[in-house]
Amino acid sequence: MQKVEHIGIAVKSLTSSMPLFEKLLKNKCYKTETVESEQVNTAFFLKDKTKIELLESTDPDGVIARFIEKRGEGIHHIAFEVNNIAEEMTRLRNDGFILLNNEPKRGADNKLVCFIHPKSTNGILIEICQEIR
Ligand code: ZN
């Protein structure tokens, strides 16, 4: 695993949270993207090398909507960059981590992603991601 690639934050509404984060970070959102398969609209911010991803549900039964229902808005996941997602998934599986998908899937911002179940990582949802080259 390399560095933290981004931090994912679950929000009820991008319309109200984007201006808030633009004000907080003094930086404009550089990209918005809908990921149909995950039922989310995303908005990305960069502050120096730190990337923040805001996630809004597009569906009342989507994972982000259910997360907010249970735990409220807030940090949803921490994403680590990896060079080879397939190798990293094998390593994690062999080390006893529970992966939420068996194959890497297409995420936002030109990435292949895989999530690790929070019950195997002290309650924190971890994403690993690899840039699609
Ligand atoms: Zn993410």
Side-chain angles (χ1 to χ4, degrees):
M1 270 194 214
Q2 320 293 310
K3 64 181 175 84
V4 169
E5 211 282 332
H6 63 270
I7 296 169
I9 298 174
V11 302
K12 285 182 185 161
S13 154
L14 285 185
T15 310
S16 59
S17 294
M18 281 171 64
L20 175 81
F21 276 83
E22 289 182 340
K23 190 158 70 172
L24 176 71
L25 301 171
K26 282 185 102 185
N27 237 345
K28 290 277 174 209
C29 166
Y30 73 89
K31 182 186 212 173
T32 58
E33 188 179 343
T34 298
V35 186
E36 303 278 357
S37 59
E38 300 292 304
Q39 300 161 311
V40 290
N41 293 322
T42 62
F44 287 91
F45 296 83
L46 263 180
K47 190 67 191 183
D48 195 358
K49 286 175 182 143
T50 301
K51 189 192 284 182
I52 302 282
E53 173 186 36
L54 301 184
L55 303 137
E56 168 199 74
S57 191
T58 57
D59 184 304
D61 289 323
V63 284
I64 294 299
R66 282 188 275 124
F67 175 88
I68 291 174
E69 216 166 88
K70 249 193 272 172
R71 300 169 67 167
E73 291 179 296
I75 293 182
H76 177 258
H77 65 271
I78 298 176
F80 288 91
E81 184 175 278
V82 297
N83 286 329
N84 184 327
I85 196 165
E87 262 176 28
E88 199 64 16
M89 285 171 70
T90 303
R91 180 187 75 85
L92 291 165
R93 211 180 274 121
N94 290 341
D95 279 346
F97 292 97
I98 302 159
L99 304 185
L100 287 174
N101 40 301
N102 289 325
E103 297 295 327
K105 55 184 180 178
R106 183 106 201 199
D109 210 21
N110 196 41
K111 297 278 193 289
L112 288 174
V113 304
C114 175
F115 287 92
I116 309 173
H117 198 295
K119 82 179 170 200
S120 63
T121 49
N122 276 186
I124 301 185
L125 180 63
I126 303 284
E127 172 189 331
I128 57 171
C129 60
Q130 179 197 311
E131 185 93 25
I132 298 169
R133 295 169 197 113

